[in-house]
Amino acid sequence: SRKVSWMFLFLIPLVIFGLSWRVNLDLTDGTSTRTLTWGLDPEATENYDFGIDENFPLIPPSGLYAFFPIDDPYNPYVTMLTSDIRQDTIEEHIWKGTVGGTFDPVAMTWDETSIPLGDAFIGVGTYDTEPTEWFDMTTVGELDFNPGDYFWISFTPSHSGDIDNPPFIVSTYP
């Protein structure tokens, strides 16, 4: 009985206030490995969010580097992110990422079990042209691409905290 009460105490805020999650992408060219992070958070926006997103260093490291490009009118000097977190809403979210600092093909991996419920697809295209072939990120855990290509992630969550809040108590008076 107490365990059930504690479980509801922790689950109800998740339903009311939304879900926050992150998925890491590990990219390697055989010499260097870099990590990018994508995800959703109820406090995030489509732009750069200090304390939620991570800005790419001003001077790229030697060798392989990876980033999500961003065009944020409120932060014009932030143009690349290593962690790109979007607002937790039930709609299609698109992330685009690329690499630099290498001429070798890049292998990107992720943990398929870390993908939350929803439709998660990944493919290779250019900055302006979406992929012609999409792969389900819950069944495939690796994507290979060349420098200059962009990987695209399309994710539509199956549920969110921003819609259909549960009923609340107005009065306990009989």
Side-chain angles (χ1 to χ4, degrees), residues 77-150:
Y77 300 108
V78 177
T79 59
M80 299 184 288
L81 300 175
T82 57
S83 180
D84 189 359
I85 309 303
R86 308 286 175 81
Q87 189 172 25
D88 176 30
T89 55
I90 299 180
E91 64 184 11
E92 181 184 30
H93 300 275
I94 298 286
W95 287 264
K96 297 180 205 177
T98 192
V99 298
T102 186
F103 295 107
D104 297 324
V106 175
M108 179 170 56
T109 59
W110 59 90
D111 178 6
E112 303 100 303
T113 62
S114 69
I115 308 293
L117 293 176
D119 296 324
F121 297 97
I122 193 165
V124 177
T126 66
Y127 182 79
D128 295 318
T129 307
E130 73 177 66
T132 56
E133 186 174 11
W134 293 90
F135 304 97
D136 185 343
M137 293 185 75
T138 62
T139 59
V140 174
E142 181 173 346
L143 180 72
D144 297 323
F145 63 98
N146 295 310
D149 290 336
Y150 279 75

Side-chain angles (χ1 to χ4, degrees), residues 22 26 36 41 57 59 70 74 90 96 100 108 141 144 154 157 159 163:
R22 313 281 190 272
D26 295 317
L36 293 177
D41 188 288
I59 300 172
I70 184 171
Y74 303 109
I90 299 180
K96 297 180 205 177
M108 179 170 56
D144 297 323
S154 168
H159 57 280
I163 298 177

